Amino acid sequence: VSTAKFFHLLISAILDTMITGGVLGPTKAYFGTVESQGRGSLHLHLLIWLDHNLKPADMKEKIQNSDFRTKLEAYL
């Protein structure tokens, strides 16, 4: 039970940062499914639909923004 609670806390923090926190930018939707491995540990398969046309050059430009860097560092 404690591992499931920790997994839930971890995934909630990741989703809050990536989706609500806006690290990835505007998001249209996301879908995830949780599976357990043979030894019982949980893992997540997550698909995120982004609501923009971000290219690597755009990401390079975004990384120059201190607010974006702060959010990214907090996530990492």
Side-chain angles (χ1 to χ4, degrees), residues 36-53:
S36 63
Q37 295 176 338
R39 60 180 190 258
S41 62
L42 300 174
H43 66 276
L44 174 70
H45 295 268
L46 183 64
L47 182 60
I48 302 173
W49 285 268
L50 301 177
D51 193 18
H52 55 74
N53 189 14

Side-chain angles (χ1 to χ4, degrees), residues 1-14 33-35 41-45:
V1 172
S2 62
T3 57
K5 285 185 176 186
F6 175 75
F7 180 77
H8 177 72
L9 179 70
L10 177 67
I11 297 304
S12 295
I14 290 170
T33 183
V34 177
E35 294 180 342
S41 62
L42 300 174
H43 66 276
L44 174 70
H45 295 268

